[in-house]
Amino acid sequence: MSESPAKPAPFGAVSAPGKSFLIGEYAVLEGHTAVVTAVDVRAHAHSPRPQHDERPSPDSPFVAAAVELVSGWLRGHDYEVPAPEALPVITTVGFTAGNRKLGLGSSAAVTAATVGWYLASAGLDVSSPEIREIALSIARAAHSMAQEGRGSGADVATAVLGGTVRFSREGIEPITTPSWLAIGFFDAGAPARTGSLLESLEAGAAGSREAYDAAIAGIGAASQRFQAALDPALAMDDAFAAIQDACRRHNEGLRQLQDIASAHILTARIETIIGAAEWAGLAAKPSGAGGGDLVVVFARSGAALDRLAVELYHQHRVALVRKLETNAEGLRAEPRPPVNSRIKGLFKRSIDARREALALATGVPLARLADADAGALAPEAADHMIENVIGVMSMPMGIGTNFTLNGRDYLVPMCVEEASVVAAASNAAKMIRAGGGFAGFSDPPWMIAQVQLVRDDRSPSAEIVARIEGARDRLLELADEAHPRLVERGGGARDIEVRNLDVDNIVVHVLVDCRDAMGANLLNTVAETLAPELAQISGWRPVLRILSNLADRRASHVSVRVPAHMLASKQLDGGDVAQRIEEASRFAELDPYRATTHNKGIMNGVDAVVIATGNDWRAMEASAHAYAVRGGRYGPLATWRVERDADDAIAALRGKLSIPTAVGVVGGATRSHPTARMALEILGNPSGVELGLIMAAAGLASNLAALRALATEGIQRGHMTLHARAVAMAAGARGAEVEALARRLVDVGEIKPERAQALLGELREGGR
Ligand code: NAD
C-alpha cells in the first residue's frame, strides 16, 4: 500500500516505561537469568505541537531504526504508513535528576514508544497482547540495530510488556512480585561509565578465569534464590529472608568481581547504603553495573523503606530517588502528550490566549479555567469556609513557565499580589532548565503531634521518659486506631519521641505519616487520642495536645546546576554573575539581617504556589523560618556556589534549597476552593510530596532571579517598571493607558501617585 499523507492520530501519544534491574547483573551476560522491572518513568511519542516549537527527533539512532523497521512491517502487512514528514516528537519524562541520567533505560523506552506510535497510527491497539508481541519483536530488532547488536533485550521487553520479567539468553518470561514487597531506589551518586567497568572486568577475567567463573556462578545462584523467593506460596517472613540472602550473595559475587577488575563496583557510598539497609533489617544491592548510580532496596513495607530513607539522608546525605513505582504498565496510548512547560511568549498574549495555550499544554479543559475568574469562589461557598463572611477578596493568578523537575515539566499556578514574582521565577526556571532542571527529593510526609505532660506527682522525669518509651508499640497502635483509613492509604504512626523540657515539663512527639494531607486535623486527633493513655502511663497531667508546625521531618530538597553562560547580563559575563551570586549567598550565610530578606525572596515563589493550591500559608511561613534557625542562628534556606572546570574557569553555578513543606492535596481548602482544585489539575494532580517539591522549585527559582538582579543591575530597575504599572492603575489608568503611563513614569524616574495623576491627565489630553 502506498504512503498516505499525514492524518491526525486518534490518540495524543504512545508511551513506554523505563526499566531497572532487580538482580542478576553481570551474570546475565554469561547466560544466567536476571530480573528486570518496568519503572514508571516514560518515553512518549507524539505529533509536534506548534505552540511549543517542537521538532521530531529523527537524529536519534533508536528513533531512526524504529521508524525504518516499523514502517517496513506496516507496509508488508498492508497498513497505511504515516508520511515521512509525520515523524513523531519523543519526550522523555522522569529519566533524569537535574542534568544526570539515572540509567533507567531511556533508549529502549524511546524505541518502544516510537514503534508503538506507528502501530497506533495504523489503528492498532498497542496495549493488546497480540500487538505488544509484534511491537516487541520490531522494537528488539530496532534497538539491537541502533546499538550494533549489543544489549540483552530485557529493557526493550519491559518497555513494551511492562511489569517484571525474568530473562536470559534463552528468552523472556513475565513474573510477578509479591504485593507486600516494597522496592525503593537510593542514589549512590554519579556512576562510573558502564563501558569502562566492563572493560576492566574483561581484562581482569582474562588473567583469573577461575575466580571470575566462581563469582559469576555466585551471582547466578543469588538470582535464582531471589526468583524462588517470589513464589506466592511462601510466607512473607520466609520469602523476605530468602531475598536478604540473595542480596548478600549477589553483593559477595560483586566484591569478587571488583577484586578481579581492580575497579570500584561497590563504591563507599554503595557500601554505606547496603550497610544501613542490612542494619535496619532490609536487603540492598546495586541496581545495574554499580560504580555509583542506583541501589535497589527491598523491604517488607513502605514504612520500613521510609525509615531507612530518613536515616540515610540525615546521617549520610544519601537520598531515596523519588518514588519510582515498579511493575509499571507497558506500551499504552495516552490521551495527550506530556506537559511541555516551555511556552514561548506567554507574557505577550491576552488572558484568553494564555488560557487556550494552558489548556492545550496541560489537557485541562478550557471551560475549567473559568475557575480562575474573579467570581469563582461564590460568597455562599465562602460563607461555609470561615465566619462572618461579607464577601471574597480576589488575587491575581499567573502561570510560572519553564519548570522542569526530576525530568518532568510543570506549568506552575502562582497567586501573588506582588509584581515581577511570576516573571522572575519563569525567567530563572529557564536558566535552570538549560542545566537539566531541578533535581529534587523529599523526606516522607511525616508530621509531629505534641502532647505536653506537666508534673502532677513526685516521680522523677527520667523515670517517666523511660516508662513512655517502654510503651512505644502500644502508643503507636493506639495512634493508628485513631485513623484506620490513613493506615489503609499507607500512612500512619511511625515513631514516638520523648523530650524532657525541664523538671516539670515533658513533651511526647508522635511522628505520623499523613500521606497527601497537610495533616493538622489528623495530627490533632492523634494527640488527643493518646493523651489519656499517656496520663495513665506517666501519672503526669496532659495539657496541650496539638501538632507542631515545625515540620522539620517533612522537608523538600531541590538542587540545580546552571551553566554559567546562562547567567550573563548586558554588562557582565556569566562567570562574573555566578561569582557575585556566590558572594551574595555568603552574605546571607553570615548575616541574619540579609538572610531574612534572602528568605523573603524564596517565599515569594513558595507562597505563591501555596496560596494557588489552597494550602495553609501561615503554617508554611512559620515552619520555614523556624527551620531557617535550626542551626542556632537564622540562616538562608538556599545557598549558592560556583563550580570551576579543570582550567579553574567558572563553569556553572550550583544552588540548593531545603524547606519544610507541610502541604496537602486533600483536606483544608485544597478541595473546597474551586480555583485551588483547578490549580492542582494544572499541575497534573500531583501527590502531596510532589507538590512540596514544586513549591521548593518555585522558591529556588525566585531566589536565583532575585540574587541575579541584585548582583547585576540592582533590583530597582526591573522592579520599578512593574511597580509603575501598579501606580498607573491606582491613578486610574485603564487598558492600554496602563502600559503607556507606566513607561512614562519610568522615563521621568519618579514613580509617585501625584506624578502619575498629572501624567495620566497629559496622556488623555494628548490622546484626544
Ligand atoms: P483534613 O482535616 O481535611 O484531613 C484530611 C482528610 O483527608 C482526612 O480525613 C483523610 O482521611 C482524608 N484523605 C483522603 N485521601 C487522603 C490521602 N491520600 N492522604 C491523606 N489523607 C487523605 O485536613 P488536614 O490536612 O488534617 O488539616 C489541614 C487543615 O487544618 C488546614 O486547613 C489547616 O489550615 C488547618 N489547621 C492548621 C493548624 C495548624 O497548622 N496549627 C491547626 C488546626 C487546623
mmCIF file of all heavy atoms in Angstrom, residues 483 485-486 489 514-524 546-547 549 616 618-619 666-669, ligand 1:
data_model
loop_
_atom_site.group_PDB
_atom_site.id
_atom_site.type_symbol
_atom_site.label_atom_id
_atom_site.label_comp_id
_atom_site.label_asym_id
_atom_site.label_seq_id
_atom_site.Cartn_x
_atom_site.Cartn_y
_atom_site.Cartn_z
ATOM 1 N N HIS A 483 -6.936 6.452 63.172
ATOM 2 C CA HIS A 483 -7.048 6.771 61.742
ATOM 3 C C HIS A 483 -6.887 5.532 60.874
ATOM 4 O O HIS A 483 -5.924 5.425 60.118
ATOM 5 C CB HIS A 483 -5.967 7.785 61.333
ATOM 6 C CG HIS A 483 -6.217 9.148 61.837
ATOM 7 N ND1 HIS A 483 -7.312 9.882 61.448
ATOM 8 C CD2 HIS A 483 -5.547 9.914 62.704
ATOM 9 C CE1 HIS A 483 -7.290 11.037 62.062
ATOM 10 N NE2 HIS A 483 -6.242 11.081 62.840
ATOM 11 N N ARG A 485 -8.316 4.682 58.155
ATOM 12 C CA ARG A 485 -8.283 4.947 56.711
ATOM 13 C C ARG A 485 -6.880 5.405 56.278
ATOM 14 O O ARG A 485 -6.417 5.080 55.195
ATOM 15 C CB ARG A 485 -9.292 6.050 56.314
ATOM 16 C CG ARG A 485 -10.746 5.720 56.579
ATOM 17 C CD ARG A 485 -11.309 4.687 55.606
ATOM 18 N NE ARG A 485 -11.000 4.955 54.206
ATOM 19 C CZ ARG A 485 -11.667 5.802 53.429
ATOM 20 N NH1 ARG A 485 -12.670 6.485 53.914
ATOM 21 N NH2 ARG A 485 -11.342 5.950 52.170
ATOM 22 N N LEU A 486 -6.241 6.162 57.153
ATOM 23 C CA LEU A 486 -4.900 6.661 56.841
ATOM 24 C C LEU A 486 -3.934 5.479 56.707
ATOM 25 O O LEU A 486 -3.071 5.444 55.817
ATOM 26 C CB LEU A 486 -4.419 7.631 57.928
ATOM 27 C CG LEU A 486 -3.074 8.289 57.673
ATOM 28 C CD1 LEU A 486 -3.121 9.165 56.416
ATOM 29 C CD2 LEU A 486 -2.631 9.123 58.871
ATOM 30 N N ARG A 489 -4.230 3.786 53.492
ATOM 31 C CA ARG A 489 -3.596 4.542 52.396
ATOM 32 C C ARG A 489 -2.076 4.500 52.469
ATOM 33 O O ARG A 489 -1.394 5.177 51.707
ATOM 34 C CB ARG A 489 -4.016 6.010 52.457
ATOM 35 C CG ARG A 489 -5.444 6.246 52.145
ATOM 36 C CD ARG A 489 -5.734 7.721 51.947
ATOM 37 N NE ARG A 489 -7.138 7.880 51.692
ATOM 38 C CZ ARG A 489 -8.029 8.226 52.611
ATOM 39 N NH1 ARG A 489 -7.650 8.498 53.829
ATOM 40 N NH2 ARG A 489 -9.302 8.305 52.321
ATOM 41 N N CYS A 514 1.340 11.428 57.122
ATOM 42 C CA CYS A 514 -0.040 11.804 56.755
ATOM 43 C C CYS A 514 -0.253 11.829 55.261
ATOM 44 O O CYS A 514 -1.185 12.468 54.783
ATOM 45 C CB CYS A 514 -0.489 13.078 57.443
ATOM 46 S SG CYS A 514 0.760 14.273 57.686
ATOM 47 N N ARG A 515 0.563 11.109 54.520
ATOM 48 C CA ARG A 515 0.369 10.928 53.071
ATOM 49 C C ARG A 515 0.109 12.237 52.335
ATOM 50 O O ARG A 515 0.892 13.116 52.371
ATOM 51 C CB ARG A 515 -0.787 9.938 52.803
ATOM 52 C CG ARG A 515 -0.521 8.544 53.308
ATOM 53 C CD ARG A 515 0.365 7.754 52.415
ATOM 54 N NE ARG A 515 1.772 7.862 52.826
ATOM 55 C CZ ARG A 515 2.803 7.504 52.083
ATOM 56 N NH1 ARG A 515 2.607 7.014 50.885
ATOM 57 N NH2 ARG A 515 4.023 7.611 52.509
ATOM 58 N N ASP A 516 -1.079 12.386 51.733
ATOM 59 C CA ASP A 516 -1.335 13.548 50.883
ATOM 60 C C ASP A 516 -2.032 14.691 51.599
ATOM 61 O O ASP A 516 -2.449 15.644 50.957
ATOM 62 C CB ASP A 516 -2.184 13.131 49.675
ATOM 63 C CG ASP A 516 -1.414 12.204 48.759
ATOM 64 O OD1 ASP A 516 -0.240 12.488 48.481
ATOM 65 O OD2 ASP A 516 -1.984 11.176 48.347
ATOM 66 N N ALA A 517 -2.202 14.581 52.926
ATOM 67 C CA ALA A 517 -2.870 15.666 53.658
ATOM 68 C C ALA A 517 -1.826 16.554 54.323
ATOM 69 O O ALA A 517 -0.723 16.104 54.622
ATOM 70 C CB ALA A 517 -3.805 15.084 54.704
ATOM 71 N N MET A 518 -2.179 17.833 54.551
ATOM 72 C CA MET A 518 -1.306 18.689 55.346
ATOM 73 C C MET A 518 -1.191 18.086 56.733
ATOM 74 O O MET A 518 -0.121 18.053 57.332
ATOM 75 C CB MET A 518 -1.892 20.107 55.393
ATOM 76 C CG MET A 518 -1.045 21.101 56.164
ATOM 77 S SD MET A 518 -1.616 21.220 57.878
ATOM 78 C CE MET A 518 -0.594 22.531 58.502
ATOM 79 N N GLY A 519 -2.307 17.621 57.264
ATOM 80 C CA GLY A 519 -2.272 16.772 58.444
ATOM 81 C C GLY A 519 -2.620 17.419 59.770
ATOM 82 O O GLY A 519 -2.648 16.719 60.786
ATOM 83 N N ALA A 520 -2.918 18.724 59.790
ATOM 84 C CA ALA A 520 -3.154 19.377 61.088
ATOM 85 C C ALA A 520 -4.262 18.668 61.871
ATOM 86 O O ALA A 520 -4.074 18.299 63.032
ATOM 87 C CB ALA A 520 -3.499 20.845 60.886
ATOM 88 N N ASN A 521 -5.392 18.463 61.207
ATOM 89 C CA ASN A 521 -6.503 17.855 61.941
ATOM 90 C C ASN A 521 -6.220 16.389 62.277
ATOM 91 O O ASN A 521 -6.559 15.909 63.357
ATOM 92 C CB ASN A 521 -7.801 18.006 61.154
ATOM 93 C CG ASN A 521 -8.195 19.475 61.063
ATOM 94 O OD1 ASN A 521 -8.176 20.187 62.066
ATOM 95 N ND2 ASN A 521 -8.509 19.930 59.857
ATOM 96 N N LEU A 522 -5.573 15.699 61.334
ATOM 97 C CA LEU A 522 -5.205 14.298 61.587
ATOM 98 C C LEU A 522 -4.322 14.210 62.838
ATOM 99 O O LEU A 522 -4.544 13.391 63.734
ATOM 100 C CB LEU A 522 -4.403 13.737 60.412
ATOM 101 C CG LEU A 522 -5.118 13.490 59.079
ATOM 102 C CD1 LEU A 522 -4.115 13.139 57.990
ATOM 103 C CD2 LEU A 522 -6.128 12.371 59.239
ATOM 104 N N LEU A 523 -3.330 15.080 62.890
ATOM 105 C CA LEU A 523 -2.360 15.040 63.994
ATOM 106 C C LEU A 523 -3.007 15.444 65.320
ATOM 107 O O LEU A 523 -2.703 14.887 66.377
ATOM 108 C CB LEU A 523 -1.181 15.967 63.687
ATOM 109 C CG LEU A 523 0.000 15.447 62.880
ATOM 110 C CD1 LEU A 523 0.988 14.747 63.788
ATOM 111 C CD2 LEU A 523 -0.393 14.537 61.753
ATOM 112 N N ASN A 524 -3.895 16.433 65.246
ATOM 113 C CA ASN A 524 -4.556 16.865 66.471
ATOM 114 C C ASN A 524 -5.378 15.718 67.061
ATOM 115 O O ASN A 524 -5.404 15.519 68.275
ATOM 116 C CB ASN A 524 -5.431 18.092 66.205
ATOM 117 C CG ASN A 524 -4.575 19.297 65.830
ATOM 118 O OD1 ASN A 524 -3.352 19.274 66.004
ATOM 119 N ND2 ASN A 524 -5.202 20.341 65.306
ATOM 120 N N ILE A 546 -1.530 19.055 70.391
ATOM 121 C CA ILE A 546 -1.675 19.654 69.047
ATOM 122 C C ILE A 546 -0.424 19.367 68.216
ATOM 123 O O ILE A 546 0.629 19.052 68.766
ATOM 124 C CB ILE A 546 -1.926 21.181 69.156
ATOM 125 C CG1 ILE A 546 -2.245 21.776 67.783
ATOM 126 C CG2 ILE A 546 -0.757 21.906 69.831
ATOM 127 C CD1 ILE A 546 -2.770 23.199 67.803
ATOM 128 N N LEU A 547 -0.603 19.497 66.873
ATOM 129 C CA LEU A 547 0.571 19.278 66.012
ATOM 130 C C LEU A 547 1.638 20.338 66.261
ATOM 131 O O LEU A 547 1.332 21.407 66.800
ATOM 132 C CB LEU A 547 0.144 19.329 64.541
ATOM 133 C CG LEU A 547 0.152 20.698 63.856
ATOM 134 C CD1 LEU A 547 0.350 20.543 62.375
ATOM 135 C CD2 LEU A 547 -1.102 21.469 64.165
ATOM 136 N N ASN A 549 4.006 22.909 64.230
ATOM 137 C CA ASN A 549 4.161 23.466 62.881
ATOM 138 C C ASN A 549 5.609 23.490 62.419
ATOM 139 O O ASN A 549 5.890 23.901 61.295
ATOM 140 C CB ASN A 549 3.554 24.867 62.807
ATOM 141 C CG ASN A 549 2.062 24.823 62.542
ATOM 142 O OD1 ASN A 549 1.250 25.156 63.407
ATOM 143 N ND2 ASN A 549 1.690 24.363 61.376
ATOM 144 N N ASP A 616 -2.149 26.105 53.545
ATOM 145 C CA ASP A 616 -2.098 26.996 54.705
ATOM 146 C C ASP A 616 -0.758 27.736 54.709
ATOM 147 O O ASP A 616 0.272 27.170 55.066
ATOM 148 C CB ASP A 616 -2.260 26.118 55.961
ATOM 149 C CG ASP A 616 -2.295 26.927 57.240
ATOM 150 O OD1 ASP A 616 -1.747 28.050 57.259
ATOM 151 O OD2 ASP A 616 -2.856 26.420 58.230
ATOM 152 N N ARG A 618 0.201 30.312 56.496
ATOM 153 C CA ARG A 618 0.748 30.665 57.819
ATOM 154 C C ARG A 618 1.587 29.499 58.331
ATOM 155 O O ARG A 618 2.689 29.680 58.887
ATOM 156 C CB ARG A 618 -0.353 30.969 58.840
ATOM 157 C CG ARG A 618 -1.095 32.264 58.622
ATOM 158 C CD ARG A 618 -2.226 32.121 57.640
ATOM 159 N NE ARG A 618 -3.172 31.068 58.000
ATOM 160 C CZ ARG A 618 -3.888 30.357 57.124
ATOM 161 N NH1 ARG A 618 -3.751 30.571 55.828
ATOM 162 N NH2 ARG A 618 -4.725 29.422 57.519
ATOM 163 N N ALA A 619 1.080 28.302 58.128
ATOM 164 C CA ALA A 619 1.820 27.107 58.552
ATOM 165 C C ALA A 619 3.145 27.029 57.794
ATOM 166 O O ALA A 619 4.196 26.722 58.366
ATOM 167 C CB ALA A 619 0.980 25.863 58.289
ATOM 168 N N VAL A 666 -5.242 17.060 49.621
ATOM 169 C CA VAL A 666 -6.591 16.751 50.126
ATOM 170 C C VAL A 666 -6.736 17.548 51.427
ATOM 171 O O VAL A 666 -5.748 17.956 52.015
ATOM 172 C CB VAL A 666 -6.794 15.245 50.429
ATOM 173 C CG1 VAL A 666 -6.697 14.421 49.175
ATOM 174 C CG2 VAL A 666 -5.785 14.762 51.462
ATOM 175 N N GLY A 667 -7.979 17.743 51.838
ATOM 176 C CA GLY A 667 -8.211 18.443 53.108
ATOM 177 C C GLY A 667 -8.081 19.946 52.980
ATOM 178 O O GLY A 667 -7.600 20.461 51.959
ATOM 179 N N GLY A 668 -8.497 20.647 54.007
ATOM 180 C CA GLY A 668 -8.440 22.105 54.018
ATOM 181 C C GLY A 668 -9.160 22.688 52.815
ATOM 182 O O GLY A 668 -10.183 22.153 52.363
ATOM 183 N N ALA A 669 -8.607 23.782 52.269
ATOM 184 C CA ALA A 669 -9.252 24.443 51.130
ATOM 185 C C ALA A 669 -8.803 23.850 49.796
ATOM 186 O O ALA A 669 -9.281 24.261 48.747
ATOM 187 C CB ALA A 669 -8.935 25.933 51.171
HETATM 188 P P1 NAD B 1 -8.409 17.381 56.882
HETATM 189 O O1 NAD B 1 -8.865 17.652 58.251
HETATM 190 O O2 NAD B 1 -9.400 17.716 55.824
HETATM 191 O O3 NAD B 1 -7.959 15.874 56.817
HETATM 192 C C1 NAD B 1 -7.597 15.251 55.620
HETATM 193 C C2 NAD B 1 -8.641 14.194 55.307
HETATM 194 O O4 NAD B 1 -8.378 13.657 54.023
HETATM 195 C C3 NAD B 1 -8.608 13.050 56.300
HETATM 196 O O5 NAD B 1 -9.879 12.781 56.706
HETATM 197 C C4 NAD B 1 -8.074 11.891 55.478
HETATM 198 O O6 NAD B 1 -8.599 10.681 55.900
HETATM 199 C C5 NAD B 1 -8.520 12.253 54.077
HETATM 200 N N1 NAD B 1 -7.720 11.737 52.975
HETATM 201 C C6 NAD B 1 -8.206 11.362 51.768
HETATM 202 N N2 NAD B 1 -7.237 10.946 50.959
HETATM 203 C C7 NAD B 1 -6.085 11.068 51.633
HETATM 204 C C8 NAD B 1 -4.724 10.821 51.293
HETATM 205 N N3 NAD B 1 -4.351 10.346 50.090
HETATM 206 N N4 NAD B 1 -3.787 11.092 52.215
HETATM 207 C C9 NAD B 1 -4.120 11.591 53.428
HETATM 208 N N5 NAD B 1 -5.394 11.834 53.799
HETATM 209 C C10 NAD B 1 -6.380 11.574 52.917
HETATM 210 O O7 NAD B 1 -7.051 18.143 56.570
HETATM 211 P P2 NAD B 1 -5.715 18.167 57.391
HETATM 212 O O8 NAD B 1 -4.657 18.057 56.365
HETATM 213 O O9 NAD B 1 -5.692 17.214 58.518
HETATM 214 O O10 NAD B 1 -5.731 19.628 58.022
HETATM 215 C C11 NAD B 1 -5.420 20.747 57.242
HETATM 216 C C12 NAD B 1 -6.256 21.922 57.701
HETATM 217 O O11 NAD B 1 -6.093 22.148 59.098
HETATM 218 C C13 NAD B 1 -5.824 23.195 57.036
HETATM 219 O O12 NAD B 1 -6.966 23.857 56.562
HETATM 220 C C14 NAD B 1 -5.161 23.992 58.157
HETATM 221 O O13 NAD B 1 -5.293 25.377 57.922
HETATM 222 C C15 NAD B 1 -5.932 23.542 59.359
HETATM 223 N N6 NAD B 1 -5.314 23.668 60.683
HETATM 224 C C16 NAD B 1 -3.996 24.022 60.862
HETATM 225 C C17 NAD B 1 -3.466 24.086 62.137
HETATM 226 C C18 NAD B 1 -2.020 24.424 62.284
HETATM 227 O O14 NAD B 1 -1.308 24.485 61.313
HETATM 228 N N7 NAD B 1 -1.506 24.643 63.511
HETATM 229 C C19 NAD B 1 -4.243 23.786 63.242
HETATM 230 C C20 NAD B 1 -5.562 23.413 63.026
HETATM 231 C C21 NAD B 1 -6.088 23.344 61.753
#
